[in-house]
Amino acid sequence: MGPHPAVAAIRLAVRRVLHDILDEHHRNPGGHDRVAAGPGRTPGAPRACEPSPLVLVACSGGADSMALASALAFEAPRLGVRAGGVTVDHGLQAGSDLRAAEVTLRLRGLGLGPVDSVAVTVGRGGGPEAAARDARYAALDAAAERHGAAAVLLGHTRDDQAETVLLGLARGSGIRSLSGMAAVSGVAGRYRRPFLRLDRQTARTACMAQSLPVWDDPHNTDPAYTRSRLRHEGLPALEKALGKGVVEALARTAQLSRDDADALDAWAGRAEAGVRDADGRLECAGLHALPPAVRRRVLRRAAIEAGAPAGSLFARHIEEVDRLITGWRGQGAINLPGRVVARRQGGRLVIRQG
C-alpha cells in the first residue's frame, strides 16, 4: 500500500524540483554529464566521484514548510542529493528562540543536515511584513552561501500565490506584480517553490498523515497584518460572492501574467539598444515610438541601472518619468528613490544619480 495521497503529492512536487536541480548541476562546467543508471543506481543521480549538490529547506515549523522538509528528507537520498535545513528566528514573539531550537531538532530528526538556526533583527522599513521578509531572505542567502547550497526550497502554496496576486492587484503595480511568486527566483535561481501548484490543505494533511507536529504562527491570524486579513476575510468573501475556484483562478492568472511580463521584458531589452545614442543616453523620439508597456519597462531598467532600488521604484515613479517623454511641457527633473534624478535635455532623457 502506497503513501497517503497528500504525502504522495508533496513528494512528487519535490522530486520534480530535485530533478531540475540535478539537471542544472550536471550542466555546470565543473560537473559531469548525466550517465545512464546502472544496477542499484537512481537515474539522474551523481556519479560516485561527483560531489552531490546540497539543497536546503527553509522551515518555520508550520505545516507548509514541515511538509516540504519531510518530502525533501524522503526524496533527496533517493536521488543522491544532500539535504539540510534552515530556520529563521525573527525575534518577534516571546519564546521564539525556543521554538527555533525545537524546529532544528525536528529537522535533524528527519535526517536533514546541516541544519542552521539563524536569529535576525527585523527593521522597520516598508512595514513589519516587508521588514521581516527582507531579514528572512538575507539570512537564507547567507546560509546558502555559507554551506555552498545549490538551492533553497520554500513552502509557498497555491493559496499563498493567490494572496500575492490580490495584494499586487490592490497596489496597482502592473502585470509584473500580478504574476505573483516565481517557481524559480533569486540569484542564479537559488529559491525554488515546489508547492505552488498544491493547496495549503494538502500540506497540512500530509503532516497529519505522517504524524508531524506543526506550529501555527499567531501572526497568520492577526488582523493587524494585511495578508492575514486577506486570508481570513478577503478570500472567503470572494469565494462567497464568486463561488469556489477563486484560489485556482488567481494562481492561473499569476502564471499567465508572468508569461506576458517575461515576453514584454524581453521586448524591452531588445528595444533599449535601439533608443540609446552613442553616449548611452535615451533618445526621447525613439522612446515615444515604443508601445507604452515596453517604453515604461525601458525607463524602469534605466532607473535601476542608475542606482534606484528596485523594491522602492513604484509605478507612479515610472509614470512621472514617462511624462517627460509623452507629456513634455518643459517640466523639471523627476526625483526617484536612491537619489536618482531623471531629466530631459535636448531631446535626450538622462537618468543618473544626482
Side-chain angles (χ1 to χ4, degrees):
M1 183 176 179
H4 186 282
V7 176
I10 63 170
R11 289 176 179 176
L12 176 60
V14 168
R15 190 184 316 142
R16 287 171 172 163
V17 168
L18 292 183
H19 275 298
D20 290 342
I21 293 169
L22 279 171
D23 286 344
E24 295 162 12
H25 180 69
H26 294 316
R27 288 197 300 268
N28 187 297
H32 298 274
D33 293 334
R34 174 181 288 190
V35 296
R41 185 178 179 276
T42 302
R47 301 173 188 266
C49 61
E50 183 179 2
S52 59
L54 171 66
V55 175
L56 300 175
V57 58
C59 185
S60 67
D64 301 343
S65 59
M66 280 303 300
L68 183 59
S70 71
L72 178 62
F74 182 85
E75 294 292 340
R78 288 161 174 77
L79 294 174
V81 174
R82 293 179 295 138
V86 183
T87 188
V88 178
D89 174 12
H90 297 85
L92 298 177
Q93 299 164 345
S96 63
D97 55 337
L98 299 177
R99 186 176 60 253
E102 184 177 348
V103 172
T104 61
L105 289 176
R106 290 178 186 172
L107 295 179
R108 292 191 179 107
L110 290 171
L112 299 179
V115 173
D116 281 359
S117 175
V118 183
V120 298
T121 299
V122 176
R124 297 184 179 181
E129 293 168 284
R133 183 176 59 249
D134 290 345
R136 179 167 59 254
Y137 276 100
L140 294 175
D141 281 335
E145 293 289 343
R146 186 165 57 251
H147 294 292
V152 178
L153 305 189
L154 304 175
H156 297 118
T157 65
R158 186 170 62 191
D159 300 78
D160 296 307
Q161 185 74 298
E163 294 162 7
T164 302
V165 172
L166 284 176
L167 289 170
L169 182 63
R171 287 193 296 266
S173 300
I175 194 172
R176 177 56 73 185
S177 185
L178 294 182
S179 65
M181 295 175 287
V184 180
S185 65
V187 177
R190 168 173 290 161
Y191 293 106
R192 312 294 173 111
R193 297 177 174 86
F195 288 177
L196 281 184
R197 296 188 178 183
L198 300 180
D199 60 32
R200 189 174 290 140
Q201 187 56 47
T202 297
R204 184 170 290 275
T205 301
C207 290
M208 294 174 61
Q210 298 175 97
S211 299
L212 290 174
V214 299
W215 171 69
D216 290 314
D217 187 347
H219 283 168
N220 290 336
T221 57
D222 187 344
Y225 294 94
T226 304
R227 187 176 286 268
S228 175
R229 294 196 302 274
L230 182 60
R231 179 174 302 177
H232 297 287
E233 300 173 25
L235 272 172
L238 282 175
E239 290 194 335
K240 183 178 180 180
L242 302 176
K244 296 293 184 181
V246 169
V247 168
E248 292 87 342
L250 288 169
R252 187 164 58 252
T253 295
Q255 185 56 59
L256 294 172
S257 298
R258 183 166 296 280
D259 292 343
D260 290 349
D262 288 346
L264 287 168
D265 284 347
W267 186 354
R270 294 189 298 270
E272 184 176 358
V275 296
R276 285 195 180 274
D277 64 16
D279 297 323
R281 296 174 301 175
L282 295 167
E283 298 175 342
C284 295
L287 285 169
H288 195 282
L290 294 174
V294 177
R295 180 176 62 247
R296 288 170 184 160
R297 278 168 167 76
V298 172
L299 297 177
R300 177 178 173 82
R301 288 162 61 103
I304 292 171
E305 288 175 5
S312 302
L313 197 60
F314 301 132
R316 59 182 174 82
H317 295 128
I318 303 304
E319 288 170 1
E320 290 180 13
V321 178
D322 194 39
R323 280 194 285 272
L324 295 177
I325 308 299
T326 61
W328 177 241
R329 298 291 186 275
Q331 59 264 46
I334 305 298
N335 294 314
L336 301 174
R339 300 193 306 277
V340 172
V341 178
R343 58 170 55 88
R344 181 164 173 158
Q345 294 178 340
R348 300 290 189 272
L349 186 68
V350 179
I351 304 177
R352 63 189 177 197
Q353 284 192 322

